[in-house]
Amino acid sequence: MPELPEVEVVRAGLEPAVTGAVVRAVTVLDERALTRHPGSGPHFEAVLTGRTLRAAARRGKFLWLPLSPGEHSLGDEALVAHLGMSGQILLRSPGAPAERHERVRLDIEHPDHGELAVVFADQRTFGSLAIAAMVATADAAPGGRGAFEPSIPSQVAHIARDPLDPAFDDRRFRETLATRRSAIKRVLLDQSVISGVGNIYADESLWAARIHPEALASDLPTRAVTRLLNEVGVVLEKALAEGGTSFDAQYVNVNGQAGYFAHSLNAYGRTGQPCPRCGRPIVRVSFMNRSSHYCPHCQRPRAR
DNA sequence: CTCATGACCTGTGCGC
DNA sequence: TGCGCACAGGTCATGA
């Protein structure tokens, strides 16, 4: 479940279940789930076993669980997770049968809730788990939602803060846009500029702000940028409140349940259907090896 | 540095 | 019924 709202649903579901829990056992069923881990499957299992999970944090689409110190760790470390295109993190009963695309399982024990299985399942294997060192944040603010310390996993350090983060720097975002001579949608998808926005919410935010996805970022008037940043926040918050977007059973919370935001989409996936604002058909075009959906009437190339 | 493209995977649905 | 193709929520490496 890939974009910010879906990942936040997972983080929030994980938080009460894993905070304070001890990792009793780790099983790596498919090492492709560890492509970002600097070590083998057995190494991952050995390093993680016995550690206590201290929180559930997120920045953009990256999740991490800060870890208690390990035997050989030099500084703070975290278990980092990215769901890629099709990853899921599920909470199951101990000994629950393997999920169809299960890649890694943690057996944990929580002081209040007892034993639980944390299952990482991922059809397309673009997602991954890893153990990474924590490094200081550049702005000394907490690393992200659910993080209490001003640190971030090294693998996530290059990711910008997301628009739901109180420490998101609006001014810097505006300044960056002004220098980018490339399509605004490409910039919205650049996780080093603004994180958490993927293909669905980029299309939805641009539709709401009435900006053409291929309008040049540097050409956008100040008021268009203001509108866009506001709409990104509104769209992400609304999607989060509705449990995220689920087109199929792939995108679910930690209990396997789907979100409802698919019913609230105005542009994404609505090719040929009437624009909810003007009634003319939404079009789909190929862009960056994926799809853009927009209303050619409401979203003109030269934004106002 | 910025920008654009393709690689990495599995699965589903469509037209022929 | 079967086959090939297009497409799917993301990130990263590698060129120009």
Side-chain angles (χ1 to χ4, degrees), chain A residues 10-26:
Chain A
V10 171
R11 189 205 66 78
L14 239 29
E15 187 165 55
V18 304
T19 303
V22 178
V23 179
R24 293 296 185 205
V26 181

Side-chain angles (χ1 to χ4, degrees), chain A residues 171-189:
Chain A
R171 210 188 72 187
R172 181 165 163 179
F173 176 74
R174 293 163 187 284
E175 288 169 357
T176 302
L177 283 206
T179 68
R180 294 295 186 106
R181 294 200 60 77
S182 88
I184 181 59
K185 181 168 172 183
R186 185 182 289 277
V187 182
L188 275 184
L189 294 175

Side-chain angles (χ1 to χ4, degrees), chain A residues 236-266:
Chain A
L236 293 178
E237 289 279 16
K238 181 156 188 264
L240 174 56
E242 295 183 20
T245 303
S246 308
F247 296 128
D248 53 41
Q250 194 87 251
Y251 304 94
V252 294
N253 67 15
V254 294
N255 298 312
Q257 296 158 328
Y260 295 105
F261 194 72
H263 303 288
S264 301
L265 295 173
N266 291 307

Side-chain angles (χ1 to χ4, degrees), chain A residues 61-82:
Chain A
K61 305 170 198 171
F62 279 85
L63 283 170
W64 67 93
L65 309 180
L67 301 171
S68 63
E71 272 181 54
H72 304 289
S73 53
L74 297 173
D76 284 344
E77 293 176 320
L79 169 60
V80 182
H82 195 288

Side-chain angles (χ1 to χ4, degrees), chain A residues 11-269:
Chain A
R11 189 205 66 78
L14 239 29
E15 187 165 55
V18 304
T19 303
V22 178
V23 179
R24 293 296 185 205
V26 181
T27 313
V28 175
L29 289 88
D30 189 333
E31 293 214 14
R32 292 177 302 173
L34 303 180
T35 48
R36 286 165 224 248
H37 178 70
S40 64
H43 173 263
F44 178 86
E45 295 173 347
V47 171
L48 195 50
T49 303
R51 309 283 283 270
T52 298
L53 308 173
R54 299 170 44 229
R58 179 195 55 76
R59 175 185 291 195
K61 305 170 198 171
F62 279 85
L63 283 170
W64 67 93
L65 309 180
L67 301 171
S68 63
E71 272 181 54
H72 304 289
S73 53
L74 297 173
D76 284 344
E77 293 176 320
L79 169 60
V80 182
H82 195 288
L83 301 175
M85 291 281 263
S86 54
Q88 303 174 327
I89 298 179
L90 303 162
L91 294 175
R92 294 289 188 243
S93 308
E99 297 294 320
R100 176 145 182 228
H101 298 291
E102 185 163 331
R103 309 294 182 196
V104 177
R105 177 177 294 216
L106 313 187
D107 294 307
I108 66 171
E109 188 175 344
H110 190 279
D112 303 327
H113 310 134
E115 293 182 20
L116 218 49
V118 179
V119 170
F120 179 71
D122 186 12
Q123 178 199 109
R124 292 174 72 182
T125 72
F126 290 167
S128 65
L129 301 183
I131 310 293
M134 300 299 288
V135 299
T137 55
D139 57 9
R145 171 92 58 116
F148 304 106
E149 281 144 32
S151 58
I152 184 100
S154 54
Q155 304 185 343
V156 190
H158 67 294
I159 301 295
R161 290 186 180 276
D162 60 68
L164 302 193
D165 187 330
F168 182 83
D169 190 340
D170 282 32
R171 210 188 72 187
R172 181 165 163 179
F173 176 74
R174 293 163 187 284
E175 288 169 357
T176 302
L177 283 206
T179 68
R180 294 295 186 106
R181 294 200 60 77
S182 88
I184 181 59
K185 181 168 172 183
R186 185 182 289 277
V187 182
L188 275 184
L189 294 175
D190 184 339
Q191 306 294 303
S192 69
V193 175
I194 180 171
S195 70
V197 180
N199 209 33
I200 295 177
Y201 301 112
D203 282 0
E204 290 301 303
S205 305
L206 289 164
W207 179 87
R210 305 190 308 280
I211 296 171
H212 193 286
E214 294 183 54
L216 232 45
S218 54
D219 285 353
L220 292 179
T222 305
R223 61 184 173 282
V225 174
T226 301
R227 219 162 57 221
L228 178 59
L229 191 50
N230 181 57
E231 293 297 351
V232 171
V234 169
V235 166
L236 293 178
E237 289 279 16
K238 181 156 188 264
L240 174 56
E242 295 183 20
T245 303
S246 308
F247 296 128
D248 53 41
Q250 194 87 251
Y251 304 94
V252 294
N253 67 15
V254 294
N255 298 312
Q257 296 158 328
Y260 295 105
F261 194 72
H263 303 288
S264 301
L265 295 173
N266 291 307
Y268 186 87

Side-chain angles (χ1 to χ4, degrees), chain A residues 288-300:
Chain A
M288 290 175 69
N289 291 324
R290 54 216 312 186
S291 296
S292 282
H293 310 77
Y294 67 99
C295 171
H297 178 71
C298 298
Q299 297 168 262
R300 302 297 175 83

